[in-house]
């Protein structure tokens, strides 16, 4: 039986959070004139929520691919599913982070 090492799960969670932080930072700091209704610190919410949610996707990416199977086709299918899961969590994190500001 293959055990999932928490250290590797954390590495992938941190990688997912860094990916999200970079992408959301590029999006947020490219806004030239933010709406005054959003408040002065409107960018804090997306900078916290998006990386947090995407770190869950990064963890799932590792968990799905933790055990290599003998079938290369199955490994490829699981890899593609894990990429879809990671992108889904990135998308949902972006929506929840930007809700009420850029996502209106």
């Amino acid at each position: 039986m293959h055990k999932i090492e928490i250290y590797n799960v954390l590495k992938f969670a941190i990688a997912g959070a860094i990916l999200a932080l970079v992408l959301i930072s590029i999006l947020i700091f490219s806004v030239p004139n933010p709406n005054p209704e959003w408040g002065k610190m409107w960018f804090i919410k997306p900078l916290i929520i998006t990386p947090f949610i995407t770190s869950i996707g990064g963890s799932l990416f590792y968990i799905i691919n933790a055990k290599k199977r003998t079938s290369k086709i199955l490994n490829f299918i699981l890899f593609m599913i894990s990429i879809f899961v990671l992108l889904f969590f990135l998308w949902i994190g972006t929506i929840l982070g930007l809700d009420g500001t850029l996502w209106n």
Side-chain angles (χ1 to χ4, degrees):
M1 185 170 160
H2 182 75
K3 70 177 188 178
I4 296 174
E5 299 174 6
I6 192 70
Y7 177 72
N8 289 332
V9 173
L10 288 175
K11 283 195 312 187
F12 277 78
I14 291 169
I18 290 171
L19 170 72
L21 185 63
V22 168
L23 292 176
I24 200 71
S25 294
I26 290 170
L27 180 63
I28 286 174
F29 295 119
S30 68
V31 176
N33 299 318
N35 191 337
E37 294 176 5
W38 300 343
K40 280 184 151 182
M41 304 300 273
W42 68 273
F43 53 87
I44 298 296
K45 179 183 169 191
L47 289 175
I48 293 173
I49 291 177
T50 305
F52 175 74
I53 293 177
T54 309
S55 69
I56 297 169
S59 298
L60 290 174
F61 183 92
Y62 173 74
I63 291 170
I64 292 171
N65 290 301
K67 182 179 178 188
K68 294 298 177 191
R69 282 95 179 150
T70 55
S71 170
K72 290 187 179 197
I73 294 173
L74 182 58
N75 283 335
F76 178 73
I77 290 170
L78 288 174
F79 180 74
M80 295 307 291
I81 289 172
S82 61
I83 287 177
F84 175 74
V85 167
L86 179 62
L87 291 176
F88 174 77
F89 275 86
L90 177 63
W91 176 61
I92 291 298
T94 304
I95 290 171
L96 292 176
L98 294 176
D99 184 40
T101 56
L102 291 176
W103 199 265
N104 255 349

